[in-house]
Amino acid sequence: MGPHCDSLPSGFELPPLPFMATSSDVSQVLLPIGGLVGREVDLDAFLQTLMDRIAVTMQADRGTLWLLDASRGELFSRAAHLPEVSQIRVKLGQGVAGYVAEHGEPVNMPDSRGESRFFADIDRMTGYRTTTILAVPLRDASGALYGVLQVLNRRGGGRFTDDDVERLMAISVQVSHALQSTSLYQELQRAKEQPHAPVGYFFNRIIGESEPLKVIYRLIQKAAPTDATVLLRGESGCGKELFARAVHVNGPRRDKPFVKVDCAALPASLIENELFGHEKGAFTGADHRVPGKFEAADGGTVFIDEIGELPLPVQGKLLRVLQDREFERVGGTQTLKVDVRIVAATNRDLAKMAAEGKFREDLYYRIKVVELVLPPLRERGAEDIERLTRHFIAAAAKRHRLPLPRLSAVALERLKRYRWPGNVRELENCIESAVVLCEGEILEEHLPLPKVIGAPQAPVEGRDTAAGSEGTGELLPLAEVEKRHILRVLDSVKGNRTAAAKVLQIGRNTLGRKLKEYGIADEG
């Protein structure tokens, strides 16, 4: 599983749950979580704080949210008061939680001693002594069971009452309603529909639990609560905007705007106006004052994508914003103050550009206060590729209103072997194409990938190579692999650069610059 937090980030404090004294009040149980449902908050922290509040409400010493892993026929602890271990798994029918999951009915165990449904191995594992247990099922809108809500040891030495059972059942309905709005529930459903797939981990809509990603998750959790400027580096298509949003929504500015500026998608002459706005009369056609992105994001975060494309004159104005939090609009003389956090991203080598005089060295050091190097998809491993693939299959089928197709083992193996020079973006487009073209099952022939010439060759353990043609054994530099992929996409859209840029999900200016580097002349 992914990283866990002990409490919600600052500003997301949940008020105590109301204590219900009688069963007649059970229907009025209101969990104060509505404002967080659907928000891109730290899900682990949210769930843990939710369990804290439930334990307080039920006057219990501990609480556990168990979720069903249909692929294994097990329950796993997703949020729990388990300082001794990170996670516990039990089989269906094993222990009180397993019994509730198997039979779909609540259990109120007033004394664990001599009780056949009590699974003592957990106490032996944790060193905790369980005396009383109350557990109820979690069901979705269709009535299907997908988890168990459990509390342990009623405080004061008493037992859980019938009123407590009703109270926890009412709470479970509300918890279930909230969870069905999260990516966690979507992942459980995907795993249920595709039982041979691994249950993945979502971190602010980012799918994956490979070790390289876990490192990034931990760094984001450290950097996000601060106002430190963050620089995201990584190849095109590896999801830099998602990580930028994760920095924003896990920090103190989460309730303020998140404003994106894509420097690669704008002509150089317009970037300054986009960032800083302009005054009336600043240039021909400027018939009124227009605020820029910095003013629009006041109090929030400005995400500057492809900052390496920022013209040198504009770099100086950005440096001033970073240093003094002030600027003037284009054509203006009034100095404006702004309170923003800056997150920048690039796929270029800014250090090299600074050494060559193409990027201001002082700006480079200002924006790399916290630097996160995002791993390319090929370094995240086969399991993350499978998790992403199955997620994209479900998403594409839903988007195009198509039946959910099966994924053949041969096609999956092909996806795992491919090097993905276009990273997650390329994988998503590949899967969308396959979902649209297949007839009930995605076969290898439905994948728009380069043809395999000869027998496939197994990758060498621990060796990072880039194959120019899958299975040929030809080893190429990454830049050459990227070039071949871009030219293949351009060829597939019959040379239409706007369409190619859309498929590649890069700015048309970026595509033009790359083609120029490849020696391909501009369109006439």
Side-chain angles (χ1 to χ4, degrees):
M1 301 301 290
H4 294 265
C5 290
D6 294 328
S7 60
L8 281 172
S10 173
F12 273 36
E13 195 67 29
L14 286 174
L17 296 173
F19 176 71
M20 297 298 160
T22 66
S23 58
S24 63
D25 294 325
V26 169
S27 62
Q28 302 301 315
V29 174
L30 296 175
L31 294 178
I33 57 179
L36 296 180
V37 174
R39 296 276 295 278
E40 295 177 88
V41 300
D42 186 327
L43 188 58
D44 284 320
F46 168 59
L47 294 176
Q48 191 63 47
T49 302
L50 182 59
M51 291 310 302
D52 291 344
R53 297 296 185 250
I54 291 173
V56 169
T57 299
M58 299 302 301
Q59 299 188 56
D61 186 50
R62 291 189 173 191
T64 305
L65 170 65
W66 298 90
L67 294 178
L68 178 62
D69 183 348
S71 64
R72 299 185 186 183
E74 295 178 345
L75 290 175
F76 63 95
S77 58
R78 185 58 174 82
H81 299 113
L82 288 170
E84 303 88 358
V85 293
S86 59
Q87 188 187 87
I88 293 177
R89 283 182 173 262
V90 297
K91 297 289 185 183
L92 289 183
Q94 188 177 54
V96 172
Y99 180 92
V100 171
E102 187 174 53
H103 295 274
E105 60 187 40
V107 169
N108 183 7
M109 184 179 293
D111 191 344
S112 63
R113 292 173 298 181
E115 172 60 63
S116 60
R117 292 173 295 183
F118 178 61
F119 186 46
D121 284 1
I122 296 178
D123 274 9
R124 283 192 284 270
M125 184 190 310
T126 62
Y128 183 76
R129 184 172 182 273
T130 302
T131 55
T132 57
I133 304 175
L134 173 57
V136 300
L138 279 175
R139 298 184 183 276
D140 62 18
S142 68
L145 187 146
Y146 69 94
V148 173
L149 198 59
Q150 176 181 280
V151 289
L152 305 177
N153 293 2
R154 202 177 200 279
R155 291 182 176 173
R159 300 178 176 184
F160 293 109
T161 65
D162 291 342
D163 283 350
D164 290 329
V165 176
E166 291 186 48
R167 187 174 302 116
L168 191 58
M169 286 289 289
I171 290 174
S172 74
V173 172
Q174 296 170 72
V175 170
S176 182
H177 179 73
L179 289 180
Q180 288 174 71
S181 301
T182 69
S183 55
L184 175 61
Y185 176 77
Q186 297 165 16
E187 175 71 358
L188 290 172
Q189 289 301 105
R190 194 272 304 148
K192 183 179 179 181
E193 293 162 355
Q194 312 223 354
H196 299 297
V199 176
Y201 173 73
F202 281 74
F203 179 86
N204 299 111
R205 299 184 182 179
I206 302 165
I207 301 171
E209 52 182 297
S210 59
E211 285 306 317
L213 275 193
K214 287 181 179 180
V215 171
I216 301 299
Y217 297 157
R218 287 192 289 269
L219 292 174
I220 288 177
Q221 287 177 325
K222 290 179 181 179
T226 73
D227 269 339
T229 302
V230 175
L231 175 63
L232 300 166
R233 291 201 300 111
E235 298 174 11
S236 293
C238 64
K240 292 187 283 291
E241 183 175 352
L242 278 178
F243 287 94
R245 287 185 180 275
V247 172
H248 172 72
V249 300
N250 287 291
R253 299 174 181 268
R254 65 181 64 81
D255 293 321
K256 299 297 183 178
F258 176 87
V259 178
K260 176 186 175 182
V261 180
D262 187 350
C263 298
L266 294 168
S269 58
L270 294 183
I271 292 179
E272 181 178 9
N273 185 66
E274 186 79 3
L275 285 171
F276 305 107
H278 65 260
E279 295 287 355
K280 180 179 179 180
F283 48 83
T284 303
D287 54 2
H288 62 282
R289 173 188 290 171
V290 175
K293 298 296 189 184
F294 278 110
E295 287 179 82
D298 192 34
T301 301
V302 175
F303 172 47
I304 305 177
D305 198 10
E306 299 300 346
I307 194 172
E309 308 295 329
L310 200 64
L312 278 169
V314 184
Q315 291 178 26
K317 292 193 72 171
L318 177 59
L319 179 64
R320 183 183 174 193
V321 173
L322 283 166
Q323 290 176 332
D324 305 320
R325 294 296 191 268
E326 62 183 31
F327 66 94
E328 286 91 33
R329 299 187 190 98
V330 175
T333 57
Q334 179 186 1
T335 299
L336 303 175
K337 287 286 187 179
V338 67
D339 174 25
V340 295
R341 180 181 195 170
I342 294 176
V343 178
T346 185
N347 63 0
R348 305 188 70 180
D349 187 343
L350 296 186
K352 181 181 179 183
M353 291 179 65
E356 295 172 348
K358 298 177 181 178
F359 196 87
R360 290 186 61 136
E361 189 173 26
D362 47 3
L363 177 59
Y364 172 57
Y365 291 120
R366 277 283 183 176
I367 63 173
K368 66 184 294 287
V369 176
V370 176
E371 187 174 30
L372 303 179
V373 181
L374 307 184
L377 182 56
R378 63 183 172 276
E379 292 180 4
R380 289 171 51 178
E383 285 199 352
D384 266 11
I385 290 175
E386 182 174 353
R387 291 183 183 100
L388 286 161
T389 295
R390 296 191 185 276
H391 170 73
F392 290 143
I393 288 173
K398 181 178 180 181
R399 182 164 57 251
H400 296 292
R401 299 177 297 281
L402 296 169
L404 186 70
R406 297 184 301 275
L407 177 64
S408 73
V410 174
L412 177 59
E413 186 59 32
R414 176 79 171 102
L415 293 167
K416 290 179 177 180
R417 289 201 317 267
Y418 185 56
R419 300 296 297 176
W420 300 111
N423 291 294
V424 177
R425 184 183 298 143
E426 183 187 6
L427 173 61
E428 182 177 13
N429 291 332
C430 170
I431 296 304
E432 182 172 13
S433 173
V435 168
V436 171
L437 297 177
C438 76
E439 297 180 357
E441 183 176 21
I442 296 176
L443 305 174
E444 185 176 13
E445 64 199 56
H446 297 128
L447 304 175
L449 297 176
K451 298 293 184 182
V452 177
I453 303 174
Q457 299 187 6
V460 179
E461 184 71 25
R463 184 170 164 187
D464 191 342
T465 60
S469 180
E470 285 293 300
T472 65
E474 181 184 7
L475 304 180
L476 297 173
L478 177 60
E480 180 64 21
V481 175
E482 180 186 69
K483 173 183 174 182
R484 293 189 182 194
H485 176 66
I486 289 176
L487 294 181
R488 180 169 60 83
V489 170
L490 193 65
D491 182 63
S492 71
V493 296
K494 298 180 173 55
N496 186 320
R497 296 192 179 189
T498 300
K502 185 176 180 180
V503 170
L504 294 164
Q505 293 191 17
I506 60 176
R508 197 177 185 281
N509 289 349
T510 300
L511 177 60
R513 175 176 56 77
K514 289 181 178 294
L515 293 176
K516 188 175 181 181
E517 292 173 358
Y518 305 154
I520 299 175
D522 291 337
E523 295 175 308

